[in-house]
Amino acid sequence: MTLFHFSKHYETPAKAAAAACHYGWLATHAKPLRQPALTVVGPASLTFEHIDGRHAQKEDLLPLAALLGDAHGAAWASDLHRAQLDMPHELRDGSVLADFGSCREAALRNRLESGFLPDTAALHAMLTLLERSTDGPAAFYKDSNPRNFLITLDGTVFSVDTDDVTLAPFGYDLAKLITTLIMTHGPIDPPDIEAALNGYNHAAARHHAQLGATSRERLGDFLALHAVLTAPYAGRNGYRYGWLHQHPRTQGPS
C-alpha cells in the first residue's frame, strides 16, 4: 500500500453526506468489509486513503463471495435483524437505508421505457421477481461490481464506493458481483457459481443459521433482475460482455 489520498467529488452536498453516512454504517456494522480510511469529509467531497490494488477478477469470486456472506451476516447480527426489506431502515443518526423494492421498481419501469425490456409482459415478470424477493432476513446492497473491490499484492481486499447502499435480501449483492464479473470478463462455469453460493451461505450462517439459506433458484432470480438493471451499462465501465454470452437461450437485454 502507498499512503496517498484519493478525493471523490459529488454533485451535491446531500450525496456526499449520504456516502459518508453509508461509509460509517458499514464500518460499524459490516466490519469484515474493509474500507480505505476516510480522512476528510468536505462540503461535497470525500477524501480517502489511496489503495494500490487491482480490481476483482473471476478467480476472486470464491473468496469475495465468502467475504460478502460474512459482511452481510455481521450486519444482520449487529443491526439489520431489526430491518424489514419493504421498509426504509432508520439508522441511529436519523438517516435511513432505502428499502429494497421502491428504487428498483422505478428502475425496472425505466428499463421498459428505455427499450431494455421488450414489452409490458417482460416488465411484469421482472416486477414479480422483485416482489417475491422482499421476504426473508435483510442484508445490504452496495454495488459489488469488480471495480468496487481493490485487492493488494498481499491479498488484502478493500471495498470502495458507498454512494448507493440499500437494504437487500441475502444473496442479492453476490448476484451483482457474479453478473458484473461475467459482463467484465466473460462466462463463469456453473460449478463455480454454485461453489460461490455455497461459500457465501456458509459464511453468512456462521452469524445465524437462518442466514445461510439462499437457494440456487433464488440466486437465479437475482441474476435475472441484475441482467435487466445493468443492461444500460453494457459497453461502458469495462462491461465488454453481454448476459447472452452466459445464457445464450435467455430472452432479454444483452
Side-chain angles (χ1 to χ4, degrees):
M1 290 183 289
T2 304
L3 296 179
F4 297 112
H5 295 90
F6 166 76
S7 292
K8 183 168 184 177
H9 298 272
Y10 293 84
E11 294 177 0
T12 65
K15 290 184 177 181
C21 175
H22 296 154
Y23 176 97
W25 183 83
L26 289 167
T28 300
H29 298 290
K31 293 182 185 297
L33 209 60
R34 186 169 182 175
Q35 301 178 91
L38 176 58
T39 58
V40 179
V41 178
S45 67
L46 302 178
T47 300
F48 301 91
E49 166 193 14
H50 174 78
I51 302 296
D52 283 332
R54 61 174 177 81
H55 297 310
Q57 300 176 8
K58 286 195 291 185
E59 56 265 31
D60 302 308
L61 174 58
L62 267 61
L64 290 180
L67 175 62
L68 285 174
D70 193 14
H72 291 164
W76 181 91
S78 178
D79 185 23
L80 294 182
H81 58 278
R82 303 183 297 112
Q84 297 181 46
L85 288 168
D86 59 352
M87 296 178 60
H89 178 60
E90 185 172 353
L91 307 182
R92 290 183 178 178
D93 64 359
S95 60
V96 298
L97 292 184
D99 68 284
F100 174 63
S102 297
C103 61
R104 291 172 177 87
E105 178 179 348
L108 288 169
R109 294 187 184 280
N110 174 266
R111 298 302 182 266
L112 175 64
E113 295 171 1
S114 303
F116 294 103
L117 284 170
D119 50 39
T120 56
L123 172 63
H124 178 72
M126 289 296 104
L127 292 176
T128 299
L129 288 185
L130 184 67
E131 183 178 0
R132 76 186 191 200
S133 299
T134 56
D135 62 342
F140 62 85
Y141 166 85
K142 70 160 301 295
D143 188 10
S144 289
N145 72 66
R147 302 181 311 282
N148 285 342
F149 291 101
L150 293 173
I151 303 173
T152 66
L153 285 175
D154 67 0
T156 303
V157 178
F158 288 86
S159 174
V160 299
D161 190 349
T162 58
D163 295 2
D164 300 306
V165 178
T166 72
L167 297 177
F170 274 77
Y172 185 79
D173 215 4
L174 172 63
K176 179 59 178 284
L177 175 62
I178 293 169
T179 301
T180 50
L181 279 173
I182 290 168
M183 293 178 71
T184 304
H185 298 293
I188 296 176
D189 291 336
D192 291 336
I193 294 176
E194 193 76 33
L197 178 59
N198 289 340
Y200 174 89
N201 279 333
H202 181 75
R206 288 202 298 266
H207 297 273
H208 194 287
Q210 70 168 312
L211 306 181
T214 302
S215 67
R216 183 63 181 85
E217 179 182 5
R218 189 166 170 87
L219 182 69
D221 288 349
F222 299 156
L223 291 170
L225 286 167
H226 282 303
V228 175
L229 292 170
T230 313
Y233 305 104
R236 299 161 49 192
N237 302 323
Y239 293 155
R240 298 176 296 153
Y241 297 86
W243 190 246
L244 293 181
H245 287 86
Q246 178 77 8
H247 297 286
R249 295 182 182 178
T250 299
Q251 298 298 315
S254 59

